Amino acid sequence: MEEIKTTEDRPLNFIEKIIEDDLANHRLPNDTIVTRFPPEPNGYLHIGHIKSICLNFGLAEKYHGRCHLRLDDTNPAKEDMEYINSIKEDIHWLGFDWGKHEYYASDYYDQLFEIAVRLIKEGKAYVDSLSAEEMKEYRGTLTEPGKNSPDRDRPIEENLRLFMEMKEGKYPEGAYTLRAKIDMASPNINMRDPALYRIKYATHPRTGDKWCIYPMYDFTHPISDAIENITHSICTLEFEDHRPAYDWATSIDGIEHTPHQYEFARLNINYLLMSKRKLLYLVNNNFVTGWDDPRMPTISGVRRRGYSPESMKDFVARVGVAKVEGVVDYSLMEFCVREDLNKRAERLMAVLDPLEIEIDNYPDGKVEYFTAENNVEDPNSGTHEIAFSKHLYIEREDFMEVPVKGYHRLYPGNEIRLKYAYYITAQSIEKDENGNIIKVHCTYDPESRGGDTPDKRKVKGTSHWVCRDICTVAEVRQYDKLFKSECPGAQTGNYLDDLNPDSLVVIPKVYIEKEAENAKVGSYFQFIRNGYYCVDSKDSKPGKMVFNRTCTLKDSWAKQKAKMGIK
């Protein structure tokens, strides 16, 4: 086997240490690690899954093994091909591929059924008629042992007959359950005769109506790992209590390979929810526009918002892999996004709140062009041309009729620099009938082109601008955090109470330099002084472009919280 070298500056995490020890001591078949990413296709993947995806696929890459994609499709009532397709798209977006190793729990239904029959024949499983409520009552508590079901000693022949009749569809849902016969007094509740099969009448997205009994997760998942020769079954800490059930299932007679389960801390981020159930409620009740709403913490949501896959992989790498649960600050994620986009985003000038500038001494009808760098951080990013004429737009906040102390932008009598272009001086203003400023008349210095003057004078203020008549007009969606509380619902018990009313502000007409007409989905942009943006992948189209704000240039949430009175 090729020698494994650790080139990262960071120390090995505990899973890497286990793997390197296993490889060094030749404990693995063919000295090859095999991991898997096993999502249930009952919703879209969220940011928390990125950590698991990067861990499982990343370990396989690092140690020259392989990672399987296995869809845990054991509950047809909640699963859909839409979810399966979205899961594949998300993993590919992150830059990982499973090659020919795409599997489904449903691939093993016949084998799982045969194993269940064998357990019945060996007296290790029985058909139970207890209802869900009764089963919960019989199970006991964390401090009190459970008690045996009245059906626990049902004869083997009767168990076999009932199980076959369950498979043939002779009983309604809930009438019977197949349970393992383990130990109702076990200190681990998951080992108190866990359910192996239940009756469910629902069309499966892959097997159709072939089955009306479906295996339970704690039975299916470990056996699927064993069938696929998984060496390191890596999951989050909430499955730690399920490890005895995992070990029990993989030790069933006839199962030749024994994988091992290792648990790590899941990714928890403040201001976000990672519950599929709660996210589904937001979607179904129109609090958001869908699973891919750019405010959603789904992978499809952050992709549509303009987060790059590189930034998300950097984020989970910085968080690391640990055994203890914790909460990561949202600002770290946005820091990683900014760090990455700063190096790749094309710079454009865009005016979100326009105020018209008329340069009185600039020739009517004249248009000239200035060269702008696409990205000052990337010398190979190239340049583009920006049109300039007599009529421009600047941001309304860049002009004050009566300036406050320390204000260095445009006001009557003051001279500023227009980025890339000329020095201008405000001379007079026009107002509407309500007293609102609608235009500022200026003069320009023709000898200041590009920001230099013969007398070498300097100005303190610089404003970005857009040519009024040669520009792109687009809708801009200003996205922010979906929740205004670090822990949604912590105070009132209802996470909906903490929805941020300003999580989306739509600006229907924003003026962007003409270069924006060439913007494509998947490209990244920095609107100078305004933030990072991307083309919306669903609603933007030629002639009606839509840009989504990915994030601000700085972490402005502290200031926003103060305005909203949030501590």
Side-chain angles (χ1 to χ4, degrees):
M1 188 188 76
E2 182 180 345
E3 182 183 358
I4 303 298
K5 295 182 179 179
T6 303
T7 58
E8 299 96 328
D9 292 332
R10 64 169 177 80
L12 297 176
N13 63 53
F14 77 96
I15 295 178
E16 289 169 329
K17 290 178 181 178
I18 291 170
I19 290 173
E20 294 206 356
D21 185 62
D22 287 342
L23 290 169
N25 290 283
H26 305 288
R27 297 192 187 99
L28 309 179
N30 301 315
D31 285 337
T32 302
I33 78 157
V34 185
T35 61
R36 82 288 173 272
F37 176 61
E40 183 179 356
N42 62 350
Y44 281 60
L45 299 182
H46 54 63
I47 296 173
H49 290 111
I50 295 178
K51 183 175 181 179
S52 182
I53 293 169
C54 291
L55 181 58
N56 281 289
F57 281 94
L59 289 171
E61 285 184 359
K62 178 177 179 178
Y63 295 107
H64 313 296
R66 67 178 186 269
C67 181
H68 297 180
L69 171 64
R70 183 173 69 243
L71 286 302
D72 177 39
D73 54 347
T74 55
N75 187 357
K78 294 184 178 181
E79 291 151 10
D80 195 285
M81 285 303 299
E82 174 190 353
Y83 299 140
I84 292 174
N85 292 333
S86 74
I87 288 168
K88 294 180 185 179
E89 183 181 5
D90 290 344
I91 299 172
H92 278 143
W93 177 72
L94 286 167
F96 298 112
D97 188 75
W98 50 92
K100 64 181 180 180
H101 298 289
E102 179 180 322
Y103 305 104
Y104 296 79
S106 54
D107 293 339
Y108 313 123
Y109 279 179
D110 288 324
Q111 290 164 274
L112 290 163
F113 179 78
E114 292 173 3
I115 292 171
V117 169
R118 191 163 69 246
L119 289 172
I120 294 172
K121 290 179 177 179
E122 294 172 353
K124 297 176 181 177
Y126 62 97
V127 175
D128 195 0
S129 61
L130 291 179
S131 67
E133 294 76 15
E134 291 171 330
M135 195 177 295
K136 183 177 179 181
E137 179 185 344
Y138 273 65
R139 186 170 286 127
T141 67
L142 292 173
T143 57
E144 296 179 357
K147 57 182 180 179
N148 291 346
S149 165
D151 297 325
R152 199 172 195 267
D153 294 323
R154 190 192 299 274
I156 290 175
E157 294 74 15
E158 187 178 346
N159 282 320
L160 282 172
R161 176 181 60 80
L162 287 172
F163 190 53
M164 293 300 178
E165 290 174 349
M166 288 167 59
K167 179 178 179 292
E168 293 164 4
K170 293 187 176 181
Y171 303 108
E173 289 188 12
Y176 291 108
T177 304
L178 181 69
R179 298 178 66 180
K181 189 183 292 186
I182 302 179
D183 181 7
M184 289 302 296
S186 172
N188 188 320
I189 289 182
N190 296 300
M191 296 298 286
R192 295 178 186 175
D193 291 9
L196 304 181
Y197 269 87
R198 80 286 207 197
I199 301 170
K200 187 171 287 292
Y201 294 100
T203 300
H204 191 282
R206 295 187 72 248
T207 61
D209 296 318
K210 176 182 177 180
W211 298 89
C212 63
I213 56 171
Y214 290 93
M216 303 298 290
Y217 176 85
D218 276 356
F219 180 60
T220 307
H221 176 71
I223 294 176
S224 300
D225 279 352
I227 292 171
E228 293 177 21
N229 294 314
I230 302 301
T231 59
H232 297 78
S233 177
I234 304 167
C235 58
T236 47
L237 280 174
E238 64 262 37
F239 293 100
E240 186 173 24
D241 289 342
H242 294 252
R243 194 197 305 168
Y246 184 98
D247 293 341
W248 173 84
T250 55
S251 66
I252 293 172
D253 291 343
I255 294 179
E256 297 178 357
H257 175 71
T258 304
H260 296 277
Q261 176 175 302
Y262 304 95
E263 305 88 15
F264 68 97
R266 63 184 297 171
L267 180 59
N268 300 303
I269 307 172
N270 58 8
Y271 295 103
L272 296 183
L273 290 176
M274 300 292 191
S275 162
K276 280 187 183 179
R277 177 180 59 82
K278 292 178 180 178
L279 295 178
L280 179 61
Y281 186 87
L282 293 174
V283 172
N284 288 343
N285 291 276
N286 300 315
F287 290 101
V288 293
T289 58
W291 283 99
D292 64 347
D293 186 301
R295 294 166 292 179
M296 288 281 277
T298 53
I299 300 179
S300 57
V302 300
R303 178 167 65 245
R304 186 176 171 192
R305 186 161 172 167
Y307 286 22
S308 65
E310 292 82 4
S311 67
M312 297 310 293
K313 289 195 280 190
D314 178 40
F315 170 58
V316 298
R318 289 173 185 262
V319 171
V321 179
K323 293 183 179 181
V324 180
E325 293 282 9
V327 178
V328 179
D329 200 305
Y330 187 98
S331 62
L332 174 60
M333 181 172 66
E334 284 204 328
F335 170 82
C336 294
V337 173
R338 292 188 189 97
E339 282 281 292
D340 182 71
L341 294 185
N342 184 52
K343 294 177 286 188
R344 70 173 70 237
E346 180 179 351
R347 272 56 167 171
L348 296 177
M349 292 195 291
V351 176
L352 278 61
D353 186 13
L355 175 62
E356 186 174 348
I357 298 293
E358 182 172 339
I359 305 175
D360 295 332
N361 63 333
Y362 194 86
D364 292 335
K366 179 180 179 180
V367 176
E368 60 182 309
Y369 289 86
F370 293 89
T371 300
E373 294 177 285
N374 287 336
N375 188 330
V376 295
E377 302 293 330
D378 180 4
N380 299 316
S381 63
T383 61
H384 65 274
E385 300 298 302
I386 307 171
F388 183 93
S389 69
K390 186 181 186 73
H391 298 277
L392 311 171
Y393 289 123
I394 65 170
E395 294 286 359
R396 187 167 294 274
E397 67 175 19
D398 283 358
F399 177 82
M400 292 186 74
E401 184 178 8
V402 181
V404 297
K405 184 179 179 180
Y407 186 78
H408 298 302
R409 295 211 170 93
L410 199 60
Y411 55 84
N414 191 45
E415 185 178 51
I416 67 166
R417 173 178 175 254
L418 294 179
K419 189 172 180 65
Y420 300 119
Y422 294 105
Y423 287 3
I424 63 170
T425 303
Q427 302 294 343
S428 63
I429 59 176
E430 292 183 28
K431 295 184 179 182
D432 62 17
E433 61 275 12
N434 297 316
N436 300 311
I437 300 172
I438 57 173
K439 184 185 290 188
V440 178
H441 288 268
C442 299
T443 55
Y444 87 114
D445 178 358
E447 295 186 320
S448 64
R449 180 182 170 93
D452 293 320
T453 61
D455 62 4
K456 303 298 181 182
R457 72 182 184 274
K458 301 296 181 182
V459 294
K460 291 186 177 180
T462 300
S463 288
H464 64 278
W465 52 275
V466 170
C467 180
R468 185 193 69 179
D469 301 319
I470 305 176
C471 66
T472 300
V473 182
E475 177 182 302
V476 165
R477 298 170 181 176
Q478 302 281 75
Y479 287 104
D480 213 323
K481 294 180 177 69
L482 184 58
F483 294 97
K484 59 187 180 181
S485 169
E486 289 193 23
C487 185
Q491 289 190 342
T492 67
N494 185 354
Y495 64 96
L496 298 177
D497 293 336
D498 288 322
L499 284 168
N500 177 11
D502 298 318
S503 63
L504 171 59
V505 175
V506 177
I507 307 175
K509 290 183 71 174
V510 167
Y511 299 90
I512 315 171
E513 56 180 278
K514 193 71 172 176
E515 174 76 3
E517 286 187 351
N518 301 318
K520 300 290 191 297
V521 172
S523 298
Y524 305 100
F525 301 93
Q526 183 194 108
F527 291 173
I528 294 173
R529 283 180 51 208
N530 282 308
Y532 292 101
Y533 292 79
C534 70
V535 178
D536 185 80
S537 58
K538 290 184 72 172
D539 298 333
S540 189
K541 55 188 177 183
K544 192 182 185 307
M545 299 193 73
V546 178
F547 286 87
N548 298 331
R549 184 173 71 184
T550 304
C551 62
T552 56
L553 294 177
K554 296 179 180 179
D555 184 6
S556 59
W557 187 241
K559 184 185 295 185
Q560 292 182 45
K561 286 198 297 183
K563 286 183 179 179
M564 298 166 66
I566 303 169
K567 295 182 179 180

